[in-house]
């Protein structure tokens, strides 16, 4: 059991690294969109559904009024950082991948993106989440084809590297799960993850509609970020499940007693319950015409039902 737990912890760390890589790539790409938007309209604040304070905190100088030349230099730096991230995706050892991601963050920090600062930055995940709140508006800056050859080349190169990085993250995720599946011996969590991984290649995530009124990069970038969002959701879910399965002790959310592996059932979310507790709880849910659910994941609903 101890060896299995150690392997699950190592797999959880690998999933965490892949998610970190994806967050940095997404933050770099959207940060470049922020910079170009700022350069296109230096006389006004960005018309985004989040405060200028949030933008300044996440992207620093990249969100400030700037010239097209400054925005282009930041885009080139973001492109180079993504090339470094691609080295992380191909690393065989976790330590090598972490080192490559750290180097990419230094490149982004040097370009003025404050989220990448080692000490004061909010982190790539927070920056990506802040930008996600204005995703459509940020991508809208790609609707207009740049007027200069330099800007056009810089923005297209950035899109290419971002798309390549997303593709590498997808491949890493698929290979990771193929090797990790055997360690997830509980059938329900394994089936749930299988279903989530399969949905990454759902046609709805890959479909692209090209509007002839806009620069062609806009449609491709929308499709890429949509697929990236799906991959990130799966990575987050896998990390959570592996972390739960690796826990040495879990407490039954129904009877609040410790669980032994011999007398437990793992749900699709990877929370464990005593077999008898789950059987009685499932029977109760069915008797009141409800689908049985995890008391830990839906604690408020569970308490409302029993109190």
């Amino acid at each position: 059991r101890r060896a299995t737990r150690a392997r699950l912890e190592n797999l959880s760390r690998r999933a965490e690294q892949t998610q970190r890589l994806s967050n940095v790539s997404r933050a770099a790409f959207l940060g470049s969109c922020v910079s170009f938007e700022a350069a296109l309209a230096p006389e006004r604040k960005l018309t985004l559904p989040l405060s200028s304070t949030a933008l300044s905190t996440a992207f620093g100088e990249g969100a400030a009024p700037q010239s097209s030349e400054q925005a282009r230099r930041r885009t080139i730096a973001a492109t180079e950082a993504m090339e470094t991230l691609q080295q992380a995706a191909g690393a065989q050892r976790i330590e090598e991948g972490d080192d490559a991601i750290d180097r990419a963050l230094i490149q982004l920090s040097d370009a003025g993106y404050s989220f990448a600062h080692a000490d004061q930055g909010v982190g790539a995940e927070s920056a990506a989440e802040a930008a996600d709140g204005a995703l459509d508006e940020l991508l809208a800056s790609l609707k207009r084809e740049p007027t200069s050859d330099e800007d056009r080349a810089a923005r297209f190169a950035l899109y290419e590297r971002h798309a390549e990085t997303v593709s590498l993250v997808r491949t890493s995720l698929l290979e990771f799960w193929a090797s990790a599946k055997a360690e997830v011996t509980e059938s329900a969590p394994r089936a749930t993850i299988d279903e989530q991984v399969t949905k990454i290649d759902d046609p709805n995530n890959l479909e692209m509609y090209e509007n002839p009124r806009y620069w062609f990069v806009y449609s491709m970038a929308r499709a890429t970020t949509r697929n990236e969002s799906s991959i990130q959701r799966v990575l987050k879910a896998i990390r959570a499940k592996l972390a739960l399965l690796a826990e040495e002790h879990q407490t039954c959310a129904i009877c609040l007693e410790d669980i032994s592996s011999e007398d437990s059932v793992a749900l699709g979310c990877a929370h464990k319950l005593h077999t008898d507790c789950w059987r009685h709880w499932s029977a109760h849910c069915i008797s009141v015409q409800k689908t049985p659910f995890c008391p830990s994941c839906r604690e408020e609903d569970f308490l409302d039902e029993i109190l």
Side-chain angles (χ1 to χ4, degrees):
R1 171 62 183 167
R2 185 173 298 174
T4 299
R5 188 167 63 250
R7 289 194 295 270
L8 287 170
E9 289 173 349
N10 186 64
L11 290 169
S12 180
R13 187 180 172 198
R14 175 70 74 177
E16 179 182 8
Q17 182 185 81
T18 305
Q19 187 178 16
R20 182 182 176 222
L21 187 163
S22 180
N23 282 328
V24 175
S25 174
R26 190 177 184 87
F29 177 73
L30 295 178
S32 179
C33 291
V34 170
S35 296
F36 262 97
E37 186 70 11
L40 288 169
E43 73 284 353
R44 61 177 173 82
K45 292 183 179 179
L46 300 183
T47 56
L48 302 175
L50 68 161
S51 68
S52 58
T53 300
L55 275 175
S56 297
T57 300
F59 298 107
E61 296 173 10
Q66 58 199 280
S67 68
S68 294
E69 174 62 26
Q70 289 173 313
R72 183 165 59 250
R73 287 201 299 268
R74 289 194 170 95
T75 296
I76 293 172
T79 303
E80 292 171 347
M82 287 186 194
E83 292 172 353
T84 304
L85 290 174
Q86 290 178 13
Q87 297 174 21
Q92 296 299 312
R93 296 172 57 247
I94 291 178
E95 293 77 12
E96 293 174 355
D98 284 340
D99 287 344
I101 294 172
D102 289 341
R103 292 199 305 273
L105 285 170
I106 292 172
Q107 292 172 293
L108 292 166
S109 177
D110 290 345
Y113 292 116
S114 57
F115 73 82
H117 293 175
D119 298 325
Q120 296 116 347
V122 299
E125 184 173 7
S126 295
E129 288 175 354
D132 280 346
L135 185 60
D136 288 341
E137 289 83 354
L138 289 175
L139 292 180
S141 67
L142 292 170
K143 290 180 177 180
R144 301 177 294 272
E145 182 174 354
T147 55
S148 75
D149 291 341
E150 293 85 354
D151 285 352
R152 191 181 303 112
R155 301 207 75 179
F156 184 72
L158 176 71
Y159 158 74
E160 279 192 310
R161 295 299 172 272
H162 182 231
E164 290 170 1
T165 305
V166 172
S167 179
L168 285 172
V169 169
R170 171 192 170 277
T171 300
S172 295
L173 172 57
L174 296 179
E175 292 177 348
F176 161 79
W177 177 236
S179 63
K181 187 185 300 188
E183 300 295 339
V184 182
T185 56
E186 291 82 356
S187 59
R190 187 172 63 246
T192 300
I193 296 175
D194 262 336
E195 182 180 2
Q196 292 172 323
V197 170
T198 300
K199 286 182 178 179
I200 289 176
D201 291 333
D202 186 290
N204 291 327
N205 293 328
L206 304 175
E207 187 177 41
M208 185 186 75
Y209 168 70
E210 185 174 345
N211 191 322
R213 294 182 299 165
Y214 304 138
W215 191 32
F216 70 96
V217 172
Y218 168 70
S219 299
M220 296 192 298
R222 280 180 60 86
T224 298
T225 53
R226 185 169 58 246
N227 195 33
E228 183 179 45
S229 295
S230 176
I231 292 170
Q232 289 185 327
R233 285 193 296 270
V234 174
L235 280 168
K236 186 175 182 179
I238 290 178
R239 277 185 59 196
K241 289 176 175 59
L242 289 176
L244 281 172
L245 293 171
E247 285 185 0
E248 187 170 3
H249 299 290
Q250 283 197 45
T251 300
C252 178
I254 295 177
C255 69
L256 304 182
E257 298 289 337
D258 287 343
I259 295 173
S260 65
S261 57
E262 294 79 15
D263 184 32
S264 66
V265 57
L267 308 184
C269 58
H271 283 115
K272 291 183 177 181
L273 300 170
H274 286 123
T275 304
D276 285 343
C277 290
W278 175 243
R279 184 183 299 114
H280 291 310
W281 171 241
S282 297
H284 167 77
C285 289
I286 293 171
S287 71
V288 295
Q289 299 183 327
K290 292 184 178 180
T291 302
F293 59 85
C294 173
S296 294
C297 292
R298 294 171 53 184
E299 184 177 6
E300 290 186 8
D301 293 338
F302 175 66
L303 292 176
D304 287 343
E305 192 65 33
I306 64 174
L307 295 179

